[in-house]
Amino acid sequence: MASTFETVGVVGLGTMGAGIAEVFARAGLTVIGVEADSGALERGRGHLEASTDRALARGRLTGDQKAEILSRVTFTTSLEDLAEADLVIEAIPEVMDFKRALFTDLDRVCKPSVVLATNTSSLSVTAIAATTTRPGRVVGMHFFNPAPVMKLVEVVRTVTTDEGLADEVADLARRLGKTPVVVGDRAGFVANRLLLPYLNQAAVMLENGVAGRDDIDAAMRLGVGLPMGPFALLDLIGLDTSYEICEVLFRETRDRRHAPAPILRELVTAGLLGRKSGQGFHCAEEPESPSPDEKPSASSVGVLGEGAEEFGARLSGAGFKLVDADDAELVIALSRTPVVELAVRLPHPGRLVGLHLVGDRVAEVASTVLTSPEVASVAHGLMRILGLTAVPCKDRAEFVVDALLYPYLNDAVRMYESGYASIEDVDTAMRLGCGYPEGPFEMLDRLGLETVRDGLRALYAEYRDPCFAPAPLLDQLVTAGVPSIRDLSS
Ligand code: CAA
């Protein structure tokens, strides 16, 4: 018989649990919030008040609506109060032993027809289900931060989940105004499996000094249209949670790109967890970073590389004098791959920078080991005059944006190739779970499979890390001249 969901228990009222409780209460369900002690309970109540206050202040809720939502939520420290709940969702810290202990208790307390759900972001739902006497009634119900805003819910069914139960939970997610994607039990499911390796790689890039924190954030926001840069997002998710997800991914895959960046471990150990502790990669009260010292612009500029004519015309239009590269004070080499080879052929190698335009707002400006700091700052000033945001970076394969984007797209192809998720589900997950303007397969179609394949080959050639090798399917599609991966599924 189909389940009816009217009373829902939420265990753990941290950022995610409180957000989930709000989502259920907004949809008209009765919510029982459970925390370990009265202090934690009060903090949970505070999260809920703050979030609904925010909606009230923005005119998204009336005072009456806010009161009605809050009146649907009761708070308790006793699990026994969940005896009559139709669904219990767990949102406690990502520690398997805690989860298993809780599910053993829920198994004892809850009625036979209850659905037990975990909001785990990466731990095995199957292992959690196995601690109960009714693994058929256990699913994953994974929300995204901030839960009241992000539209995706990943519904995770295990090999033991009862037939039809995941679909019932997916229907419930629709009732909450969310879009469900039903997937199997793999570390990171769809969204985290694609998101966290990218975030982790950004941390490695920062640690290796390829580019700075704010520059990487700006490049991904303004160049790709993501709602947040990787470091702002790591701070939102929580560095401890991010670290844990990477650990779990690494344990399952042994892929070096999943091994948490050392800087994450250091920040977590220091208690700098992101927004929840007030400081992570960013600090709550941090002033805007000062603009770098920029020299007056160059009196003569040389432009090399593909698109040199067009970019040269743009510079002339802005009043710059174009001269031969051998004589220029500043040489701009349009490229998406390292430019030091071009520099060494010039009489003044220190005057050359690499330039890669990302979209119509971002200019990655790559300094080689020979580029003089003065020349680099002249190049930044020039980009500003052209109305572009300069992203200074080292002269490394694919610079910043493509180096972060292409492995993510490759992961999406691998995920599809393995049969884990459909093209539509992967695209939906990234758009609705992480606010991406387009899903990875939409992005692949726009960028072109060959461009991405070649970029991955360049990354592989530079770092010799197998994780950058193009997915076999991507390679084959390019070789066969198939323009879109969608052409396969039609
Ligand atoms: N709680 C409740 N509501 C919030 C909120 C919060 N913490 N933060 C923002 N909002 C609401 C605002 O009230 C606003 O709603 P209204 O338009 O109805 O007023 C809306 O969200 C947009 O807010 P803002 O205009 O203030 O902010 P924004 O436009 O900068 O958007 C954002 C904020 C929605 C967080 C956006 O930056 C975004 O989509 N970021 C990406 C977030 C993301 O990737 N989340 C997934 C992380 S991974 C994860 O969670 C899974 C895991 O297991 C780790």
Side-chain angles (χ1 to χ4, degrees), residues 16 22 51 54-55 58 60 121 142-146 148-150 192 195-196 227-228 233 236-237 241 245 275 433-435:
M16 283 308 290
E22 181 183 333
S51 179
R54 182 186 167 123
R58 291 176 171 236
R60 305 281 178 198
S121 19
H142 183 221
F143 288 80
F144 288 76
N145 192 357
V149 185
M150 308 314 285
N192 281 345
L195 180 70
L196 267 296
M228 292 174 147
L233 185 53
L236 174 74
I237 295 171
T241 305
I245 298 173
R275 282 197 193 182
C434 307

PDB file of all heavy atoms in Angstrom, residues 16 22 51 54-55 58 60 121 142-146 148-150 192 195-196 227-228 233 236-237 241 245 275 433-435, ligand 1:
ATOM      1  N   MET A  16      21.482  21.961   7.830  1.00  0.00           N
ATOM      2  CA  MET A  16      20.694  21.188   6.872  1.00  0.00           C
ATOM      3  C   MET A  16      19.384  20.711   7.493  1.00  0.00           C
ATOM      4  O   MET A  16      18.322  20.851   6.891  1.00  0.00           O
ATOM      5  CB  MET A  16      21.496  19.974   6.375  1.00  0.00           C
ATOM      6  CG  MET A  16      22.546  20.293   5.354  1.00  0.00           C
ATOM      7  SD  MET A  16      21.934  21.248   3.952  1.00  0.00           S
ATOM      8  CE  MET A  16      20.903  20.079   3.104  1.00  0.00           C
ATOM      9  N   GLU A  22      12.106  23.121   7.768  1.00  0.00           N
ATOM     10  CA  GLU A  22      11.364  24.266   7.212  1.00  0.00           C
ATOM     11  C   GLU A  22      10.652  23.870   5.912  1.00  0.00           C
ATOM     12  O   GLU A  22       9.500  24.232   5.689  1.00  0.00           O
ATOM     13  CB  GLU A  22      12.330  25.434   6.968  1.00  0.00           C
ATOM     14  CG  GLU A  22      11.618  26.650   6.423  1.00  0.00           C
ATOM     15  CD  GLU A  22      12.574  27.808   6.096  1.00  0.00           C
ATOM     16  OE1 GLU A  22      13.643  27.894   6.719  1.00  0.00           O
ATOM     17  OE2 GLU A  22      12.230  28.598   5.202  1.00  0.00           O
ATOM     18  N   SER A  51      15.711  31.820   9.414  1.00  0.00           N
ATOM     19  CA  SER A  51      15.412  31.620   7.997  1.00  0.00           C
ATOM     20  C   SER A  51      14.028  32.177   7.646  1.00  0.00           C
ATOM     21  O   SER A  51      13.855  32.826   6.599  1.00  0.00           O
ATOM     22  CB  SER A  51      15.502  30.125   7.680  1.00  0.00           C
ATOM     23  OG  SER A  51      15.202  29.904   6.353  1.00  0.00           O
ATOM     24  N   ARG A  54      14.050  35.958   7.695  1.00  0.00           N
ATOM     25  CA  ARG A  54      14.667  36.474   6.475  1.00  0.00           C
ATOM     26  C   ARG A  54      13.623  36.556   5.350  1.00  0.00           C
ATOM     27  O   ARG A  54      13.542  37.547   4.625  1.00  0.00           O
ATOM     28  CB  ARG A  54      15.787  35.503   6.104  1.00  0.00           C
ATOM     29  CG  ARG A  54      16.597  35.840   4.927  1.00  0.00           C
ATOM     30  CD  ARG A  54      17.530  34.658   4.667  1.00  0.00           C
ATOM     31  NE  ARG A  54      18.119  34.806   3.364  1.00  0.00           N
ATOM     32  CZ  ARG A  54      19.422  34.843   3.131  1.00  0.00           C
ATOM     33  NH1 ARG A  54      20.263  34.705   4.120  1.00  0.00           N
ATOM     34  NH2 ARG A  54      19.872  34.998   1.922  1.00  0.00           N
ATOM     35  N   ALA A  55      12.807  35.487   5.244  1.00  0.00           N
ATOM     36  CA  ALA A  55      11.758  35.475   4.217  1.00  0.00           C
ATOM     37  C   ALA A  55      10.720  36.555   4.510  1.00  0.00           C
ATOM     38  O   ALA A  55      10.218  37.217   3.588  1.00  0.00           O
ATOM     39  CB  ALA A  55      11.109  34.097   4.165  1.00  0.00           C
ATOM     40  N   ARG A  58      11.995  39.950   3.546  1.00  0.00           N
ATOM     41  CA  ARG A  58      12.022  40.142   2.085  1.00  0.00           C
ATOM     42  C   ARG A  58      10.625  40.156   1.480  1.00  0.00           C
ATOM     43  O   ARG A  58      10.475  40.164   0.256  1.00  0.00           O
ATOM     44  CB  ARG A  58      12.821  39.029   1.433  1.00  0.00           C
ATOM     45  CG  ARG A  58      14.281  39.123   1.744  1.00  0.00           C
ATOM     46  CD  ARG A  58      14.996  37.960   1.149  1.00  0.00           C
ATOM     47  NE  ARG A  58      16.420  38.186   1.283  1.00  0.00           N
ATOM     48  CZ  ARG A  58      17.261  38.190   0.265  1.00  0.00           C
ATOM     49  NH1 ARG A  58      16.827  37.983  -0.951  1.00  0.00           N
ATOM     50  NH2 ARG A  58      18.524  38.408   0.466  1.00  0.00           N
ATOM     51  N   ARG A  60       8.583  37.719   1.434  1.00  0.00           N
ATOM     52  CA  ARG A  60       8.233  36.426   0.820  1.00  0.00           C
ATOM     53  C   ARG A  60       7.235  35.648   1.676  1.00  0.00           C
ATOM     54  O   ARG A  60       6.661  34.671   1.226  1.00  0.00           O
ATOM     55  CB  ARG A  60       9.475  35.558   0.626  1.00  0.00           C
ATOM     56  CG  ARG A  60      10.553  36.216  -0.157  1.00  0.00           C
ATOM     57  CD  ARG A  60      10.259  36.163  -1.643  1.00  0.00           C
ATOM     58  NE  ARG A  60      11.276  36.850  -2.392  1.00  0.00           N
ATOM     59  CZ  ARG A  60      11.135  37.266  -3.651  1.00  0.00           C
ATOM     60  NH1 ARG A  60       9.998  37.055  -4.280  1.00  0.00           N
ATOM     61  NH2 ARG A  60      12.102  37.881  -4.262  1.00  0.00           N
ATOM     62  N   SER A 121      25.362  12.816   2.688  1.00  0.00           N
ATOM     63  CA  SER A 121      25.819  13.339   1.399  1.00  0.00           C
ATOM     64  C   SER A 121      26.716  12.351   0.687  1.00  0.00           C
ATOM     65  O   SER A 121      26.979  12.521  -0.492  1.00  0.00           O
ATOM     66  CB  SER A 121      26.550  14.664   1.552  1.00  0.00           C
ATOM     67  OG  SER A 121      26.984  14.890   2.839  1.00  0.00           O
ATOM     68  N   HIS A 142      18.391  13.178  -0.132  1.00  0.00           N
ATOM     69  CA  HIS A 142      19.515  14.103  -0.006  1.00  0.00           C
ATOM     70  C   HIS A 142      19.149  15.496  -0.508  1.00  0.00           C
ATOM     71  O   HIS A 142      18.902  15.684  -1.699  1.00  0.00           O
ATOM     72  CB  HIS A 142      20.721  13.542  -0.785  1.00  0.00           C
ATOM     73  CG  HIS A 142      21.944  14.375  -0.652  1.00  0.00           C
ATOM     74  ND1 HIS A 142      22.795  14.645  -1.677  1.00  0.00           N
ATOM     75  CD2 HIS A 142      22.445  15.040   0.437  1.00  0.00           C
ATOM     76  CE1 HIS A 142      23.766  15.418  -1.257  1.00  0.00           C
ATOM     77  NE2 HIS A 142      23.573  15.672   0.029  1.00  0.00           N
ATOM     78  N   PHE A 143      19.123  16.442   0.419  1.00  0.00           N
ATOM     79  CA  PHE A 143      18.797  17.840   0.108  1.00  0.00           C
ATOM     80  C   PHE A 143      20.093  18.624  -0.108  1.00  0.00           C
ATOM     81  O   PHE A 143      21.171  18.188   0.282  1.00  0.00           O
ATOM     82  CB  PHE A 143      18.024  18.472   1.271  1.00  0.00           C
ATOM     83  CG  PHE A 143      16.607  17.963   1.411  1.00  0.00           C
ATOM     84  CD1 PHE A 143      16.345  16.747   2.033  1.00  0.00           C
ATOM     85  CD2 PHE A 143      15.542  18.694   0.927  1.00  0.00           C
ATOM     86  CE1 PHE A 143      15.045  16.271   2.162  1.00  0.00           C
ATOM     87  CE2 PHE A 143      14.231  18.236   1.058  1.00  0.00           C
ATOM     88  CZ  PHE A 143      13.986  17.021   1.676  1.00  0.00           C
ATOM     89  N   PHE A 144      19.953  19.825  -0.644  1.00  0.00           N
ATOM     90  CA  PHE A 144      21.118  20.662  -0.961  1.00  0.00           C
ATOM     91  C   PHE A 144      21.028  21.979  -0.209  1.00  0.00           C
ATOM     92  O   PHE A 144      19.935  22.487   0.032  1.00  0.00           O
ATOM     93  CB  PHE A 144      21.206  20.852  -2.489  1.00  0.00           C
ATOM     94  CG  PHE A 144      21.643  19.574  -3.129  1.00  0.00           C
ATOM     95  CD1 PHE A 144      20.739  18.529  -3.274  1.00  0.00           C
ATOM     96  CD2 PHE A 144      22.958  19.359  -3.453  1.00  0.00           C
ATOM     97  CE1 PHE A 144      21.144  17.303  -3.764  1.00  0.00           C
ATOM     98  CE2 PHE A 144      23.383  18.136  -3.949  1.00  0.00           C
ATOM     99  CZ  PHE A 144      22.470  17.114  -4.111  1.00  0.00           C
ATOM    100  N   ASN A 145      22.152  22.490   0.138  1.00  0.00           N
ATOM    101  CA  ASN A 145      22.291  23.665   0.993  1.00  0.00           C
ATOM    102  C   ASN A 145      22.234  24.953   0.147  1.00  0.00           C
ATOM    103  O   ASN A 145      23.002  25.054  -0.796  1.00  0.00           O
ATOM    104  CB  ASN A 145      23.658  23.533   1.700  1.00  0.00           C
ATOM    105  CG  ASN A 145      23.837  24.507   2.824  1.00  0.00           C
ATOM    106  OD1 ASN A 145      22.976  25.346   3.079  1.00  0.00           O
ATOM    107  ND2 ASN A 145      24.971  24.418   3.488  1.00  0.00           N
ATOM    108  N   PRO A 146      21.415  25.925   0.441  1.00  0.00           N
ATOM    109  CA  PRO A 146      20.413  25.972   1.506  1.00  0.00           C
ATOM    110  C   PRO A 146      19.144  25.201   1.111  1.00  0.00           C
ATOM    111  O   PRO A 146      18.585  25.445   0.035  1.00  0.00           O
ATOM    112  CB  PRO A 146      20.105  27.468   1.639  1.00  0.00           C
ATOM    113  CG  PRO A 146      20.768  28.171   0.496  1.00  0.00           C
ATOM    114  CD  PRO A 146      21.559  27.207  -0.296  1.00  0.00           C
ATOM    115  N   PRO A 148      15.989  25.259   1.881  1.00  0.00           N
ATOM    116  CA  PRO A 148      14.746  25.903   1.447  1.00  0.00           C
ATOM    117  C   PRO A 148      14.836  26.455   0.017  1.00  0.00           C
ATOM    118  O   PRO A 148      13.807  26.733  -0.591  1.00  0.00           O
ATOM    119  CB  PRO A 148      14.565  27.060   2.450  1.00  0.00           C
ATOM    120  CG  PRO A 148      15.424  26.703   3.614  1.00  0.00           C
ATOM    121  CD  PRO A 148      16.570  25.919   3.057  1.00  0.00           C
ATOM    122  N   VAL A 149      16.041  26.608  -0.496  1.00  0.00           N
ATOM    123  CA  VAL A 149      16.199  27.264  -1.801  1.00  0.00           C
ATOM    124  C   VAL A 149      16.475  26.273  -2.932  1.00  0.00           C
ATOM    125  O   VAL A 149      15.893  26.374  -4.016  1.00  0.00           O
ATOM    126  CB  VAL A 149      17.379  28.283  -1.763  1.00  0.00           C
ATOM    127  CG1 VAL A 149      17.479  29.053  -3.069  1.00  0.00           C
ATOM    128  CG2 VAL A 149      17.229  29.226  -0.586  1.00  0.00           C
ATOM    129  N   MET A 150      17.378  25.342  -2.707  1.00  0.00           N
ATOM    130  CA  MET A 150      17.813  24.480  -3.813  1.00  0.00           C
ATOM    131  C   MET A 150      16.718  23.451  -4.122  1.00  0.00           C
ATOM    132  O   MET A 150      16.170  22.830  -3.217  1.00  0.00           O
ATOM    133  CB  MET A 150      19.145  23.783  -3.478  1.00  0.00           C
ATOM    134  CG  MET A 150      20.275  24.711  -3.018  1.00  0.00           C
ATOM    135  SD  MET A 150      20.524  26.206  -3.995  1.00  0.00           S
ATOM    136  CE  MET A 150      21.304  25.563  -5.462  1.00  0.00           C
ATOM    137  N   ASN A 192      27.227  15.466  -5.679  1.00  0.00           N
ATOM    138  CA  ASN A 192      28.488  15.586  -4.935  1.00  0.00           C
ATOM    139  C   ASN A 192      29.633  14.884  -5.644  1.00  0.00           C
ATOM    140  O   ASN A 192      30.794  15.306  -5.535  1.00  0.00           O
ATOM    141  CB  ASN A 192      28.343  15.017  -3.518  1.00  0.00           C
ATOM    142  CG  ASN A 192      27.635  15.989  -2.592  1.00  0.00           C
ATOM    143  OD1 ASN A 192      27.504  17.168  -2.917  1.00  0.00           O
ATOM    144  ND2 ASN A 192      27.174  15.511  -1.461  1.00  0.00           N
ATOM    145  N   LEU A 195      30.555  17.559  -8.056  1.00  0.00           N
ATOM    146  CA  LEU A 195      30.896  18.870  -7.481  1.00  0.00           C
ATOM    147  C   LEU A 195      32.171  18.847  -6.647  1.00  0.00           C
ATOM    148  O   LEU A 195      33.047  19.706  -6.800  1.00  0.00           O
ATOM    149  CB  LEU A 195      29.734  19.349  -6.596  1.00  0.00           C
ATOM    150  CG  LEU A 195      29.927  20.698  -5.912  1.00  0.00           C
ATOM    151  CD1 LEU A 195      29.882  21.820  -6.946  1.00  0.00           C
ATOM    152  CD2 LEU A 195      28.850  20.932  -4.846  1.00  0.00           C
ATOM    153  N   LEU A 196      32.271  17.874  -5.748  1.00  0.00           N
ATOM    154  CA  LEU A 196      33.377  17.908  -4.774  1.00  0.00           C
ATOM    155  C   LEU A 196      34.761  17.760  -5.400  1.00  0.00           C
ATOM    156  O   LEU A 196      35.693  18.465  -5.001  1.00  0.00           O
ATOM    157  CB  LEU A 196      33.139  16.890  -3.658  1.00  0.00           C
ATOM    158  CG  LEU A 196      32.426  17.428  -2.410  1.00  0.00           C
ATOM    159  CD1 LEU A 196      33.279  18.498  -1.715  1.00  0.00           C
ATOM    160  CD2 LEU A 196      31.063  18.006  -2.687  1.00  0.00           C
ATOM    161  N   PRO A 227      26.775  30.318  -9.575  1.00  0.00           N
ATOM    162  CA  PRO A 227      26.289  31.287  -8.580  1.00  0.00           C
ATOM    163  C   PRO A 227      27.344  31.663  -7.547  1.00  0.00           C
ATOM    164  O   PRO A 227      27.299  32.746  -6.971  1.00  0.00           O
ATOM    165  CB  PRO A 227      25.103  30.573  -7.928  1.00  0.00           C
ATOM    166  CG  PRO A 227      25.236  29.137  -8.276  1.00  0.00           C
ATOM    167  CD  PRO A 227      26.035  29.061  -9.543  1.00  0.00           C
ATOM    168  N   MET A 228      28.277  30.772  -7.299  1.00  0.00           N
ATOM    169  CA  MET A 228      29.336  31.051  -6.317  1.00  0.00           C
ATOM    170  C   MET A 228      30.640  30.486  -6.849  1.00  0.00           C
ATOM    171  O   MET A 228      30.642  29.455  -7.527  1.00  0.00           O
ATOM    172  CB  MET A 228      29.053  30.317  -5.005  1.00  0.00           C
ATOM    173  CG  MET A 228      27.878  30.815  -4.248  1.00  0.00           C
ATOM    174  SD  MET A 228      27.616  29.724  -2.831  1.00  0.00           S
ATOM    175  CE  MET A 228      26.989  30.900  -1.690  1.00  0.00           C
ATOM    176  N   LEU A 233      31.701  28.549  -2.072  1.00  0.00           N
ATOM    177  CA  LEU A 233      30.812  27.390  -1.939  1.00  0.00           C
ATOM    178  C   LEU A 233      31.341  26.404  -0.898  1.00  0.00           C
ATOM    179  O   LEU A 233      30.572  25.850  -0.103  1.00  0.00           O
ATOM    180  CB  LEU A 233      30.629  26.709  -3.303  1.00  0.00           C
ATOM    181  CG  LEU A 233      29.630  25.550  -3.337  1.00  0.00           C
ATOM    182  CD1 LEU A 233      28.278  25.950  -2.759  1.00  0.00           C
ATOM    183  CD2 LEU A 233      29.441  25.032  -4.760  1.00  0.00           C
ATOM    184  N   LEU A 236      30.258  27.621   2.283  1.00  0.00           N
ATOM    185  CA  LEU A 236      28.822  27.411   2.515  1.00  0.00           C
ATOM    186  C   LEU A 236      28.559  25.959   2.924  1.00  0.00           C
ATOM    187  O   LEU A 236      27.837  25.691   3.892  1.00  0.00           O
ATOM    188  CB  LEU A 236      28.021  27.738   1.241  1.00  0.00           C
ATOM    189  CG  LEU A 236      26.520  27.426   1.326  1.00  0.00           C
ATOM    190  CD1 LEU A 236      25.802  28.463   2.196  1.00  0.00           C
ATOM    191  CD2 LEU A 236      25.864  27.385  -0.049  1.00  0.00           C
ATOM    192  N   ILE A 237      29.135  25.019   2.199  1.00  0.00           N
ATOM    193  CA  ILE A 237      28.909  23.595   2.497  1.00  0.00           C
ATOM    194  C   ILE A 237      29.495  23.244   3.862  1.00  0.00           C
ATOM    195  O   ILE A 237      28.944  22.444   4.612  1.00  0.00           O
ATOM    196  CB  ILE A 237      29.569  22.708   1.411  1.00  0.00           C
ATOM    197  CG1 ILE A 237      28.887  22.931   0.063  1.00  0.00           C
ATOM    198  CG2 ILE A 237      29.528  21.233   1.790  1.00  0.00           C
ATOM    199  CD1 ILE A 237      29.605  22.255  -1.105  1.00  0.00           C
ATOM    200  N   THR A 241      32.499  19.084   6.267  1.00  0.00           N
ATOM    201  CA  THR A 241      31.646  18.233   5.426  1.00  0.00           C
ATOM    202  C   THR A 241      32.335  17.955   4.093  1.00  0.00           C
ATOM    203  O   THR A 241      32.353  16.812   3.616  1.00  0.00           O
ATOM    204  CB  THR A 241      30.289  18.947   5.174  1.00  0.00           C
ATOM    205  OG1 THR A 241      29.730  19.283   6.435  1.00  0.00           O
ATOM    206  CG2 THR A 241      29.329  18.079   4.399  1.00  0.00           C
ATOM    207  N   ILE A 245      33.383  14.296   2.607  1.00  0.00           N
ATOM    208  CA  ILE A 245      32.865  13.756   1.334  1.00  0.00           C
ATOM    209  C   ILE A 245      34.044  13.333   0.449  1.00  0.00           C
ATOM    210  O   ILE A 245      34.030  12.254  -0.151  1.00  0.00           O
ATOM    211  CB  ILE A 245      31.971  14.782   0.600  1.00  0.00           C
ATOM    212  CG1 ILE A 245      30.747  15.126   1.457  1.00  0.00           C
ATOM    213  CG2 ILE A 245      31.514  14.229  -0.751  1.00  0.00           C
ATOM    214  CD1 ILE A 245      29.889  16.257   0.903  1.00  0.00           C
ATOM    215  N   ARG A 275      31.266  29.061   6.820  1.00  0.00           N
ATOM    216  CA  ARG A 275      30.242  29.940   7.397  1.00  0.00           C
ATOM    217  C   ARG A 275      29.825  29.533   8.801  1.00  0.00           C
ATOM    218  O   ARG A 275      29.544  30.366   9.644  1.00  0.00           O
ATOM    219  CB  ARG A 275      28.991  29.913   6.518  1.00  0.00           C
ATOM    220  CG  ARG A 275      29.133  30.747   5.289  1.00  0.00           C
ATOM    221  CD  ARG A 275      27.765  31.001   4.710  1.00  0.00           C
ATOM    222  NE  ARG A 275      27.914  31.549   3.366  1.00  0.00           N
ATOM    223  CZ  ARG A 275      26.911  31.912   2.605  1.00  0.00           C
ATOM    224  NH1 ARG A 275      25.665  31.781   3.028  1.00  0.00           N
ATOM    225  NH2 ARG A 275      27.121  32.395   1.408  1.00  0.00           N
ATOM    226  N   GLY A 433      20.615  21.336  -8.070  1.00  0.00           N
ATOM    227  CA  GLY A 433      21.287  21.082  -6.788  1.00  0.00           C
ATOM    228  C   GLY A 433      22.351  22.120  -6.497  1.00  0.00           C
ATOM    229  O   GLY A 433      22.610  22.460  -5.353  1.00  0.00           O
ATOM    230  N   CYS A 434      22.986  22.632  -7.534  1.00  0.00           N
ATOM    231  CA  CYS A 434      24.131  23.527  -7.333  1.00  0.00           C
ATOM    232  C   CYS A 434      23.951  24.864  -8.056  1.00  0.00           C
ATOM    233  O   CYS A 434      24.880  25.677  -8.064  1.00  0.00           O
ATOM    234  CB  CYS A 434      25.413  22.853  -7.822  1.00  0.00           C
ATOM    235  SG  CYS A 434      25.653  21.215  -7.105  1.00  0.00           S
ATOM    236  N   GLY A 435      22.803  25.080  -8.665  1.00  0.00           N
ATOM    237  CA  GLY A 435      22.523  26.378  -9.295  1.00  0.00           C
ATOM    238  C   GLY A 435      23.370  26.655 -10.531  1.00  0.00           C
ATOM    239  O   GLY A 435      23.559  27.816 -10.898  1.00  0.00           O
TER     240      GLY A 435
HETATM  241  N1  CAA B   1      18.382  29.938   3.885  1.00  0.00           N
HETATM  242  C1  CAA B   1      17.173  30.204   3.348  1.00  0.00           C
HETATM  243  N2  CAA B   1      17.007  30.935   2.241  1.00  0.00           N
HETATM  244  C2  CAA B   1      18.106  31.459   1.674  1.00  0.00           C
HETATM  245  C3  CAA B   1      19.395  31.234   2.179  1.00  0.00           C
HETATM  246  C4  CAA B   1      19.494  30.433   3.336  1.00  0.00           C
HETATM  247  N3  CAA B   1      20.700  30.164   3.881  1.00  0.00           N
HETATM  248  N4  CAA B   1      20.286  31.861   1.382  1.00  0.00           N
HETATM  249  C5  CAA B   1      19.580  32.458   0.414  1.00  0.00           C
HETATM  250  N5  CAA B   1      18.281  32.207   0.584  1.00  0.00           N
HETATM  251  C6  CAA B   1      17.195  32.605  -0.293  1.00  0.00           C
HETATM  252  C7  CAA B   1      16.906  34.057  -0.229  1.00  0.00           C
HETATM  253  O1  CAA B   1      15.959  34.349   0.755  1.00  0.00           O
HETATM  254  C8  CAA B   1      16.406  34.337  -1.619  1.00  0.00           C
HETATM  255  O2  CAA B   1      15.051  33.964  -1.738  1.00  0.00           O
HETATM  256  P1  CAA B   1      13.990  35.028  -2.243  1.00  0.00           P
HETATM  257  O3  CAA B   1      14.386  35.358  -3.660  1.00  0.00           O
HETATM  258  O4  CAA B   1      12.700  34.260  -2.134  1.00  0.00           O
HETATM  259  O5  CAA B   1      14.104  36.172  -1.310  1.00  0.00           O
HETATM  260  C9  CAA B   1      17.162  33.359  -2.504  1.00  0.00           C
HETATM  261  O6  CAA B   1      17.640  32.359  -1.637  1.00  0.00           O
HETATM  262  C10 CAA B   1      18.308  34.012  -3.200  1.00  0.00           C
HETATM  263  O7  CAA B   1      19.108  34.603  -2.189  1.00  0.00           O
HETATM  264  P2  CAA B   1      20.015  35.879  -2.371  1.00  0.00           P
HETATM  265  O8  CAA B   1      19.462  36.751  -3.456  1.00  0.00           O
HETATM  266  O9  CAA B   1      20.310  36.470  -1.056  1.00  0.00           O
HETATM  267  O10 CAA B   1      21.361  35.243  -2.755  1.00  0.00           O
HETATM  268  P3  CAA B   1      21.897  34.738  -4.098  1.00  0.00           P
HETATM  269  O11 CAA B   1      21.131  35.164  -5.277  1.00  0.00           O
HETATM  270  O12 CAA B   1      23.319  35.084  -3.984  1.00  0.00           O
HETATM  271  O13 CAA B   1      21.702  33.167  -3.981  1.00  0.00           O
HETATM  272  C11 CAA B   1      22.256  30.998  -3.277  1.00  0.00           C
HETATM  273  C12 CAA B   1      22.165  32.452  -2.888  1.00  0.00           C
HETATM  274  C13 CAA B   1      20.860  30.451  -3.557  1.00  0.00           C
HETATM  275  C14 CAA B   1      22.879  30.258  -2.110  1.00  0.00           C
HETATM  276  C15 CAA B   1      23.122  30.884  -4.597  1.00  0.00           C
HETATM  277  O14 CAA B   1      24.329  31.552  -4.414  1.00  0.00           O
HETATM  278  C16 CAA B   1      23.419  29.453  -5.004  1.00  0.00           C
HETATM  279  O15 CAA B   1      22.626  28.804  -5.668  1.00  0.00           O
HETATM  280  N6  CAA B   1      24.616  28.969  -4.629  1.00  0.00           N
HETATM  281  C17 CAA B   1      25.034  27.591  -4.906  1.00  0.00           C
HETATM  282  C18 CAA B   1      24.651  26.748  -3.736  1.00  0.00           C
HETATM  283  C19 CAA B   1      24.999  25.304  -3.920  1.00  0.00           C
HETATM  284  O16 CAA B   1      25.737  24.893  -4.802  1.00  0.00           O
HETATM  285  N7  CAA B   1      24.449  24.458  -3.027  1.00  0.00           N
HETATM  286  C20 CAA B   1      24.747  23.048  -3.042  1.00  0.00           C
HETATM  287  C21 CAA B   1      25.945  22.736  -2.220  1.00  0.00           C
HETATM  288  S1  CAA B   1      26.294  21.026  -2.197  1.00  0.00           S
HETATM  289  C22 CAA B   1      25.263  20.426  -1.029  1.00  0.00           C
HETATM  290  O17 CAA B   1      24.604  21.090  -0.326  1.00  0.00           O
HETATM  291  C23 CAA B   1      25.226  18.956  -0.931  1.00  0.00           C
HETATM  292  C24 CAA B   1      26.088  18.389   0.091  1.00  0.00           C
HETATM  293  O18 CAA B   1      25.801  17.270   0.509  1.00  0.00           O
HETATM  294  C25 CAA B   1      27.304  19.014   0.528  1.00  0.00           C
END
